mmCIF file of all heavy atoms in Angstrom:
data_model
loop_
_atom_site.group_PDB
_atom_site.id
_atom_site.type_symbol
_atom_site.label_atom_id
_atom_site.label_comp_id
_atom_site.label_asym_id
_atom_site.label_seq_id
_atom_site.Cartn_x
_atom_site.Cartn_y
_atom_site.Cartn_z
ATOM 1 N N PHE A 67 -11.477 16.095 18.973
ATOM 2 C CA PHE A 67 -12.278 17.379 18.987
ATOM 3 C C PHE A 67 -13.742 17.113 18.511
ATOM 4 O O PHE A 67 -14.690 17.554 19.171
ATOM 5 C CB PHE A 67 -11.613 18.514 18.082
ATOM 6 C CG PHE A 67 -12.366 19.761 18.227
ATOM 7 C CD1 PHE A 67 -12.181 20.576 19.317
ATOM 8 C CD2 PHE A 67 -13.293 20.105 17.197
ATOM 9 C CE1 PHE A 67 -12.920 21.783 19.390
ATOM 10 C CE2 PHE A 67 -13.967 21.352 17.301
ATOM 11 C CZ PHE A 67 -13.745 22.190 18.343
ATOM 12 N N ALA A 68 -13.853 16.242 17.473
ATOM 13 C CA ALA A 68 -15.252 15.947 16.999
ATOM 14 C C ALA A 68 -15.990 15.223 17.958
ATOM 15 O O ALA A 68 -17.258 15.202 17.975
ATOM 16 C CB ALA A 68 -15.117 15.209 15.677
ATOM 17 N N ARG A 69 -15.338 14.437 18.828
ATOM 18 C CA ARG A 69 -16.013 13.649 19.861
ATOM 19 C C ARG A 69 -16.186 14.496 21.245
ATOM 20 O O ARG A 69 -16.703 13.947 22.190
ATOM 21 C CB ARG A 69 -15.172 12.480 20.201
ATOM 22 C CG ARG A 69 -15.015 11.464 19.089
ATOM 23 C CD ARG A 69 -14.095 10.287 19.324
ATOM 24 N NE ARG A 69 -14.481 9.562 20.524
ATOM 25 C CZ ARG A 69 -14.026 8.372 20.818
ATOM 26 N NH1 ARG A 69 -12.930 7.894 20.163
ATOM 27 N NH2 ARG A 69 -14.392 7.770 21.929
ATOM 28 N N GLY A 70 -15.891 15.740 21.203
ATOM 29 C CA GLY A 70 -16.084 16.551 22.323
ATOM 30 C C GLY A 70 -15.000 16.457 23.312
ATOM 31 O O GLY A 70 -15.139 16.901 24.476
ATOM 32 N N ILE A 71 -13.801 15.886 22.921
ATOM 33 C CA ILE A 71 -12.690 15.707 23.790
ATOM 34 C C ILE A 71 -11.790 17.019 23.671
ATOM 35 O O ILE A 71 -11.440 17.446 22.604
ATOM 36 C CB ILE A 71 -11.759 14.509 23.453
ATOM 37 C CG1 ILE A 71 -12.680 13.296 23.388
ATOM 38 C CG2 ILE A 71 -10.615 14.334 24.357
ATOM 39 C CD1 ILE A 71 -13.369 12.950 24.630
ATOM 40 N N LYS A 72 -11.388 17.532 24.924
ATOM 41 C CA LYS A 72 -10.460 18.618 24.905
ATOM 42 C C LYS A 72 -9.013 18.214 24.571
ATOM 43 O O LYS A 72 -8.396 17.564 25.409
ATOM 44 C CB LYS A 72 -10.476 19.411 26.149
ATOM 45 C CG LYS A 72 -11.873 20.030 26.476
ATOM 46 C CD LYS A 72 -11.914 20.756 27.746
ATOM 47 C CE LYS A 72 -13.293 21.322 28.059
ATOM 48 N NZ LYS A 72 -13.845 22.213 27.043
ATOM 49 N N ALA A 73 -8.592 18.418 23.389
ATOM 50 C CA ALA A 73 -7.199 17.996 22.943
ATOM 51 C C ALA A 73 -6.386 19.091 22.289
ATOM 52 O O ALA A 73 -7.007 20.006 21.664
ATOM 53 C CB ALA A 73 -7.385 16.811 21.952
ATOM 54 N N TYR A 74 -5.095 18.963 22.371
ATOM 55 C CA TYR A 74 -4.288 20.025 21.798
ATOM 56 C C TYR A 74 -2.928 19.565 21.460
ATOM 57 O O TYR A 74 -2.338 18.696 22.168
ATOM 58 C CB TYR A 74 -4.102 21.281 22.792
ATOM 59 C CG TYR A 74 -3.428 22.445 22.182
ATOM 60 C CD1 TYR A 74 -4.128 23.277 21.348
ATOM 61 C CD2 TYR A 74 -2.067 22.740 22.509
ATOM 62 C CE1 TYR A 74 -3.533 24.380 20.755
ATOM 63 C CE2 TYR A 74 -1.464 23.835 21.923
ATOM 64 C CZ TYR A 74 -2.187 24.650 21.028
ATOM 65 O OH TYR A 74 -1.604 25.786 20.521
ATOM 66 N N ILE A 75 -2.380 19.927 20.230
ATOM 67 C CA ILE A 75 -1.132 19.429 19.821
ATOM 68 C C ILE A 75 -0.085 20.376 20.265
ATOM 69 O O ILE A 75 -0.139 21.628 20.121
ATOM 70 C CB ILE A 75 -1.050 19.319 18.251
ATOM 71 C CG1 ILE A 75 -2.038 18.280 17.799
ATOM 72 C CG2 ILE A 75 0.304 19.036 17.741
ATOM 73 C CD1 ILE A 75 -2.122 18.370 16.257
ATOM 74 N N LEU A 76 1.080 19.883 20.718
ATOM 75 C CA LEU A 76 2.267 20.629 21.021
ATOM 76 C C LEU A 76 3.326 20.049 20.019
ATOM 77 O O LEU A 76 3.744 18.855 20.164
ATOM 78 C CB LEU A 76 2.729 20.459 22.459
ATOM 79 C CG LEU A 76 1.907 21.098 23.510
ATOM 80 C CD1 LEU A 76 2.417 20.847 24.915
ATOM 81 C CD2 LEU A 76 1.778 22.590 23.257
ATOM 82 N N ASP A 77 3.697 20.853 19.022
ATOM 83 C CA ASP A 77 4.571 20.367 17.994
ATOM 84 C C ASP A 77 5.978 20.871 18.124
ATOM 85 O O ASP A 77 6.202 22.031 18.690
ATOM 86 C CB ASP A 77 4.021 20.918 16.625
ATOM 87 C CG ASP A 77 4.847 20.410 15.454
ATOM 88 O OD1 ASP A 77 4.727 19.280 15.000
ATOM 89 O OD2 ASP A 77 5.674 21.243 14.977
ATOM 90 N N GLY A 78 6.960 20.013 17.864
ATOM 91 C CA GLY A 78 8.325 20.392 18.001
ATOM 92 C C GLY A 78 8.832 21.667 17.356
ATOM 93 O O GLY A 78 9.478 22.535 18.035
ATOM 94 N N ASP A 79 8.411 21.925 16.125
ATOM 95 C CA ASP A 79 8.794 23.163 15.461
ATOM 96 C C ASP A 79 8.056 24.369 16.208
ATOM 97 O O ASP A 79 8.810 25.387 16.328
ATOM 98 C CB ASP A 79 8.373 23.061 13.988
ATOM 99 C CG ASP A 79 9.275 22.261 13.161
ATOM 100 O OD1 ASP A 79 10.369 21.788 13.670
ATOM 101 O OD2 ASP A 79 9.094 22.132 11.956
ATOM 102 N N ASN A 80 6.861 24.248 16.447
ATOM 103 C CA ASN A 80 6.139 25.334 17.084
ATOM 104 C C ASN A 80 6.689 25.826 18.437
ATOM 105 O O ASN A 80 6.849 27.029 18.670
ATOM 106 C CB ASN A 80 4.635 25.002 17.298
ATOM 107 C CG ASN A 80 3.908 24.718 16.011
ATOM 108 O OD1 ASN A 80 4.443 24.991 14.919
ATOM 109 N ND2 ASN A 80 2.644 24.383 16.076
ATOM 110 N N ILE A 81 7.089 24.832 19.167
ATOM 111 C CA ILE A 81 7.721 25.123 20.446
ATOM 112 C C ILE A 81 9.000 25.913 20.340
ATOM 113 O O ILE A 81 9.395 26.739 21.128
ATOM 114 C CB ILE A 81 8.004 23.816 21.213
ATOM 115 C CG1 ILE A 81 6.624 23.191 21.623
ATOM 116 C CG2 ILE A 81 8.834 24.009 22.498
ATOM 117 C CD1 ILE A 81 5.748 24.031 22.585
ATOM 118 N N ARG A 82 9.805 25.574 19.290
ATOM 119 C CA ARG A 82 11.061 26.241 19.078
ATOM 120 C C ARG A 82 10.885 27.726 18.567
ATOM 121 O O ARG A 82 11.850 28.462 18.494
ATOM 122 C CB ARG A 82 11.920 25.449 18.145
ATOM 123 C CG ARG A 82 12.526 24.250 18.823
ATOM 124 C CD ARG A 82 13.429 23.446 17.887
ATOM 125 N NE ARG A 82 14.048 22.325 18.613
ATOM 126 C CZ ARG A 82 15.269 22.300 19.332
ATOM 127 N NH1 ARG A 82 15.837 23.534 19.395
ATOM 128 N NH2 ARG A 82 15.761 21.365 19.750
ATOM 129 N N PHE A 83 9.691 28.076 18.201
ATOM 130 C CA PHE A 83 9.438 29.453 17.831
ATOM 131 C C PHE A 83 9.453 30.400 19.035
ATOM 132 O O PHE A 83 9.677 31.585 18.945
ATOM 133 C CB PHE A 83 8.055 29.626 17.018
ATOM 134 C CG PHE A 83 8.175 29.398 15.609
ATOM 135 C CD1 PHE A 83 7.734 28.255 15.065
ATOM 136 C CD2 PHE A 83 8.785 30.279 14.733
ATOM 137 C CE1 PHE A 83 7.817 28.003 13.700
ATOM 138 C CE2 PHE A 83 8.840 30.108 13.388
ATOM 139 C CZ PHE A 83 8.428 28.954 12.887
ATOM 140 N N GLY A 84 9.054 29.823 20.181
ATOM 141 C CA GLY A 84 8.876 30.600 21.421
ATOM 142 C C GLY A 84 9.588 30.020 22.652
ATOM 143 O O GLY A 84 10.643 30.472 22.917
ATOM 144 N N LEU A 85 8.957 29.143 23.311
ATOM 145 C CA LEU A 85 9.362 28.624 24.619
ATOM 146 C C LEU A 85 10.842 28.122 24.470
ATOM 147 O O LEU A 85 11.628 28.451 25.445
ATOM 148 C CB LEU A 85 8.459 27.425 25.062
ATOM 149 C CG LEU A 85 8.898 26.717 26.335
ATOM 150 C CD1 LEU A 85 8.784 27.685 27.510
ATOM 151 C CD2 LEU A 85 8.001 25.519 26.515
ATOM 152 N N ASN A 86 11.213 27.437 23.455
ATOM 153 C CA ASN A 86 12.579 26.872 23.346
ATOM 154 C C ASN A 86 13.346 27.520 22.245
ATOM 155 O O ASN A 86 14.309 26.890 21.686
ATOM 156 C CB ASN A 86 12.513 25.392 23.213
ATOM 157 C CG ASN A 86 12.013 24.689 24.471
ATOM 158 O OD1 ASN A 86 11.984 25.304 25.490
ATOM 159 N ND2 ASN A 86 11.581 23.436 24.371
ATOM 160 N N LYS A 87 13.102 28.759 21.901
ATOM 161 C CA LYS A 87 13.874 29.459 20.832
ATOM 162 C C LYS A 87 15.337 29.580 21.119
ATOM 163 O O LYS A 87 16.140 29.897 20.217
ATOM 164 C CB LYS A 87 13.144 30.782 20.444
ATOM 165 C CG LYS A 87 13.314 31.821 21.607
ATOM 166 C CD LYS A 87 12.434 33.054 21.228
ATOM 167 C CE LYS A 87 12.931 33.718 19.948
ATOM 168 N NZ LYS A 87 12.119 34.923 19.615
ATOM 169 N N ASP A 88 15.659 29.500 22.391
ATOM 170 C CA ASP A 88 17.077 29.730 22.830
ATOM 171 C C ASP A 88 17.982 28.417 22.671
ATOM 172 O O ASP A 88 19.147 28.413 22.880
ATOM 173 C CB ASP A 88 17.179 30.163 24.279
ATOM 174 C CG ASP A 88 16.533 29.150 25.233
ATOM 175 O OD1 ASP A 88 15.504 28.691 24.911
ATOM 176 O OD2 ASP A 88 17.145 28.980 26.265
ATOM 177 N N LEU A 89 17.294 27.308 22.305
ATOM 178 C CA LEU A 89 17.953 26.019 22.187
ATOM 179 C C LEU A 89 18.335 25.566 20.819
ATOM 180 O O LEU A 89 17.645 25.857 19.868
ATOM 181 C CB LEU A 89 17.141 24.920 22.797
ATOM 182 C CG LEU A 89 16.704 25.135 24.296
ATOM 183 C CD1 LEU A 89 15.789 23.931 24.750
ATOM 184 C CD2 LEU A 89 17.944 25.087 25.243
ATOM 185 N N GLY A 90 19.437 24.992 20.709
ATOM 186 C CA GLY A 90 19.972 24.408 19.409
ATOM 187 C C GLY A 90 19.592 22.939 19.259
ATOM 188 O O GLY A 90 18.584 22.494 19.867
ATOM 189 N N PHE A 91 20.499 22.187 18.592
ATOM 190 C CA PHE A 91 20.253 20.771 18.381
ATOM 191 C C PHE A 91 21.358 19.900 18.816
ATOM 192 O O PHE A 91 21.450 18.744 18.363
ATOM 193 C CB PHE A 91 19.973 20.583 16.846
ATOM 194 C CG PHE A 91 18.604 21.151 16.452
ATOM 195 C CD1 PHE A 91 18.522 22.453 15.983
ATOM 196 C CD2 PHE A 91 17.353 20.433 16.548
ATOM 197 C CE1 PHE A 91 17.287 23.005 15.587
ATOM 198 C CE2 PHE A 91 16.167 21.039 16.171
ATOM 199 C CZ PHE A 91 16.136 22.324 15.731
ATOM 200 N N SER A 92 22.102 20.395 19.727
ATOM 201 C CA SER A 92 23.167 19.524 20.320
ATOM 202 C C SER A 92 22.461 18.567 21.187
ATOM 203 O O SER A 92 21.349 18.698 21.654
ATOM 204 C CB SER A 92 24.142 20.357 21.140
ATOM 205 O OG SER A 92 23.426 20.922 22.283
ATOM 206 N N GLU A 93 23.175 17.494 21.657
ATOM 207 C CA GLU A 93 22.531 16.490 22.535
ATOM 208 C C GLU A 93 22.048 17.176 23.846
ATOM 209 O O GLU A 93 20.929 16.843 24.317
ATOM 210 C CB GLU A 93 23.445 15.376 22.822
ATOM 211 C CG GLU A 93 22.953 14.270 23.659
ATOM 212 C CD GLU A 93 23.865 13.108 23.885
ATOM 213 O OE1 GLU A 93 24.852 13.008 23.114
ATOM 214 O OE2 GLU A 93 23.641 12.298 24.759
ATOM 215 N N LYS A 94 22.849 18.072 24.412
ATOM 216 C CA LYS A 94 22.478 18.754 25.602
ATOM 217 C C LYS A 94 21.227 19.583 25.386
ATOM 218 O O LYS A 94 20.341 19.564 26.321
ATOM 219 C CB LYS A 94 23.673 19.653 26.009
ATOM 220 C CG LYS A 94 23.342 20.413 27.277
ATOM 221 C CD LYS A 94 24.545 21.255 27.756
ATOM 222 C CE LYS A 94 24.210 22.128 28.997
ATOM 223 N NZ LYS A 94 25.404 22.912 29.376
ATOM 224 N N ASP A 95 21.186 20.337 24.279
ATOM 225 C CA ASP A 95 19.952 21.200 24.017
ATOM 226 C C ASP A 95 18.765 20.381 23.709
ATOM 227 O O ASP A 95 17.620 20.713 24.099
ATOM 228 C CB ASP A 95 20.318 22.186 22.848
ATOM 229 C CG ASP A 95 21.140 23.310 23.284
ATOM 230 O OD1 ASP A 95 21.405 23.448 24.484
ATOM 231 O OD2 ASP A 95 21.358 24.225 22.441
ATOM 232 N N ARG A 96 18.875 19.211 23.043
ATOM 233 C CA ARG A 96 17.792 18.341 22.774
ATOM 234 C C ARG A 96 17.178 17.841 24.044
ATOM 235 O O ARG A 96 15.980 17.754 24.251
ATOM 236 C CB ARG A 96 18.211 17.200 21.894
ATOM 237 C CG ARG A 96 18.397 17.491 20.384
ATOM 238 C CD ARG A 96 18.904 16.248 19.728
ATOM 239 N NE ARG A 96 19.304 16.499 18.274
ATOM 240 C CZ ARG A 96 18.481 16.412 17.278
ATOM 241 N NH1 ARG A 96 17.276 15.995 17.490
ATOM 242 N NH2 ARG A 96 18.951 16.631 16.088
ATOM 243 N N THR A 97 18.069 17.451 25.024
ATOM 244 C CA THR A 97 17.662 16.988 26.296
ATOM 245 C C THR A 97 16.859 18.084 27.059
ATOM 246 O O THR A 97 15.799 17.795 27.677
ATOM 247 C CB THR A 97 18.840 16.567 27.146
ATOM 248 O OG1 THR A 97 19.377 15.300 26.542
ATOM 249 C CG2 THR A 97 18.370 16.154 28.585
ATOM 250 N N GLU A 98 17.339 19.311 27.070
ATOM 251 C CA GLU A 98 16.665 20.442 27.708
ATOM 252 C C GLU A 98 15.349 20.709 27.038
ATOM 253 O O GLU A 98 14.297 21.074 27.622
ATOM 254 C CB GLU A 98 17.605 21.634 27.737
ATOM 255 C CG GLU A 98 16.908 22.889 28.367
ATOM 256 C CD GLU A 98 16.428 22.640 29.798
ATOM 257 O OE1 GLU A 98 16.814 21.696 30.502
ATOM 258 O OE2 GLU A 98 15.710 23.566 30.299
ATOM 259 N N ASN A 99 15.326 20.607 25.739
ATOM 260 C CA ASN A 99 14.071 20.895 24.935
ATOM 261 C C ASN A 99 12.962 19.849 25.383
ATOM 262 O O ASN A 99 11.866 20.256 25.593
ATOM 263 C CB ASN A 99 14.421 20.621 23.427
ATOM 264 C CG ASN A 99 13.249 20.846 22.545
ATOM 265 O OD1 ASN A 99 12.514 21.865 22.572
ATOM 266 N ND2 ASN A 99 12.843 19.798 21.778
ATOM 267 N N ILE A 100 13.396 18.632 25.536
ATOM 268 C CA ILE A 100 12.394 17.651 25.918
ATOM 269 C C ILE A 100 12.007 17.793 27.423
ATOM 270 O O ILE A 100 10.876 17.600 27.723
ATOM 271 C CB ILE A 100 12.988 16.172 25.631
ATOM 272 C CG1 ILE A 100 13.142 15.981 24.143
ATOM 273 C CG2 ILE A 100 12.013 15.138 26.194
ATOM 274 C CD1 ILE A 100 11.888 16.239 23.308
ATOM 275 N N ARG A 101 12.971 18.094 28.183
ATOM 276 C CA ARG A 101 12.614 18.323 29.719
ATOM 277 C C ARG A 101 11.556 19.527 29.823
ATOM 278 O O ARG A 101 10.571 19.312 30.542
ATOM 279 C CB ARG A 101 13.890 18.637 30.428
ATOM 280 C CG ARG A 101 13.665 18.768 31.949
ATOM 281 C CD ARG A 101 14.708 19.520 32.676
ATOM 282 N NE ARG A 101 14.834 20.958 32.345
ATOM 283 C CZ ARG A 101 13.896 21.879 32.888
ATOM 284 N NH1 ARG A 101 12.967 21.430 33.702
ATOM 285 N NH2 ARG A 101 14.016 23.072 32.465
ATOM 286 N N ARG A 102 11.787 20.634 29.166
ATOM 287 C CA ARG A 102 10.855 21.706 29.272
ATOM 288 C C ARG A 102 9.515 21.352 28.680
ATOM 289 O O ARG A 102 8.478 21.607 29.374
ATOM 290 C CB ARG A 102 11.389 22.958 28.456
ATOM 291 C CG ARG A 102 12.655 23.575 29.082
ATOM 292 C CD ARG A 102 13.025 24.734 28.187
ATOM 293 N NE ARG A 102 14.289 25.262 28.519
ATOM 294 C CZ ARG A 102 14.950 26.296 27.873
ATOM 295 N NH1 ARG A 102 14.278 26.905 26.930
ATOM 296 N NH2 ARG A 102 16.151 26.671 28.283
ATOM 297 N N ILE A 103 9.420 20.736 27.540
ATOM 298 C CA ILE A 103 8.164 20.455 26.944
ATOM 299 C C ILE A 103 7.480 19.370 27.757
ATOM 300 O O ILE A 103 6.237 19.346 27.804
ATOM 301 C CB ILE A 103 8.294 20.005 25.512
ATOM 302 C CG1 ILE A 103 6.899 20.092 24.827
ATOM 303 C CG2 ILE A 103 8.888 18.661 25.337
ATOM 304 C CD1 ILE A 103 6.259 21.427 24.866
ATOM 305 N N SER A 104 8.154 18.482 28.448
ATOM 306 C CA SER A 104 7.495 17.522 29.305
ATOM 307 C C SER A 104 6.792 18.141 30.439
ATOM 308 O O SER A 104 5.675 17.708 30.813
ATOM 309 C CB SER A 104 8.680 16.552 29.868
ATOM 310 O OG SER A 104 9.262 15.812 28.815
ATOM 311 N N GLU A 105 7.387 19.167 31.029
ATOM 312 C CA GLU A 105 6.788 19.883 32.081
ATOM 313 C C GLU A 105 5.506 20.613 31.594
ATOM 314 O O GLU A 105 4.484 20.696 32.277
ATOM 315 C CB GLU A 105 7.767 20.918 32.715
ATOM 316 C CG GLU A 105 8.977 20.303 33.419
ATOM 317 C CD GLU A 105 8.623 19.762 34.732
ATOM 318 O OE1 GLU A 105 7.467 19.823 35.194
ATOM 319 O OE2 GLU A 105 9.481 19.050 35.357
ATOM 320 N N VAL A 106 5.580 21.162 30.403
ATOM 321 C CA VAL A 106 4.414 21.834 29.759
ATOM 322 C C VAL A 106 3.222 20.775 29.536
ATOM 323 O O VAL A 106 2.136 21.024 29.892
ATOM 324 C CB VAL A 106 4.753 22.576 28.525
ATOM 325 C CG1 VAL A 106 3.534 23.132 27.827
ATOM 326 C CG2 VAL A 106 5.728 23.727 28.800
ATOM 327 N N CYS A 107 3.590 19.693 28.930
ATOM 328 C CA CYS A 107 2.660 18.620 28.760
ATOM 329 C C CYS A 107 2.000 18.135 30.042
ATOM 330 O O CYS A 107 0.717 17.909 30.159
ATOM 331 C CB CYS A 107 3.379 17.444 28.067
ATOM 332 S SG CYS A 107 3.820 17.697 26.361
ATOM 333 N N LYS A 108 2.773 18.073 31.105
ATOM 334 C CA LYS A 108 2.312 17.611 32.428
ATOM 335 C C LYS A 108 1.221 18.623 32.908
ATOM 336 O O LYS A 108 0.131 18.228 33.368
ATOM 337 C CB LYS A 108 3.354 17.580 33.461
ATOM 338 C CG LYS A 108 2.997 17.150 34.809
ATOM 339 C CD LYS A 108 4.126 17.225 35.828
ATOM 340 C CE LYS A 108 4.357 18.711 36.193
ATOM 341 N NZ LYS A 108 5.383 18.821 37.241
ATOM 342 N N LEU A 109 1.463 19.964 32.654
ATOM 343 C CA LEU A 109 0.470 20.945 33.159
ATOM 344 C C LEU A 109 -0.840 20.865 32.254
ATOM 345 O O LEU A 109 -1.912 21.027 32.808
ATOM 346 C CB LEU A 109 1.133 22.324 33.044
ATOM 347 C CG LEU A 109 2.269 22.606 33.939
ATOM 348 C CD1 LEU A 109 2.857 23.991 33.730
ATOM 349 C CD2 LEU A 109 1.831 22.468 35.460
#
Side-chain angles (χ1 to χ4, degrees):
F67 182 79
R69 296 175 59 173
I71 306 300
K72 297 183 184 299
Y74 189 76
I75 296 173
L76 292 178
D77 180 82
D79 281 359
N80 293 356
I81 292 298
R82 285 182 176 273
F83 274 105
L85 178 66
N86 291 346
K87 67 188 300 182
D88 60 317
L89 299 177
F91 291 90
S92 67
E93 183 173 348
K94 180 179 178 181
D95 280 1
R96 286 176 185 266
T97 293
E98 176 60 13
N99 180 57
I100 296 305
R101 187 197 68 79
R102 290 184 195 178
I103 196 57
S104 299
E105 294 286 355
V106 174
C107 290
K108 180 187 74 174
L109 295 175

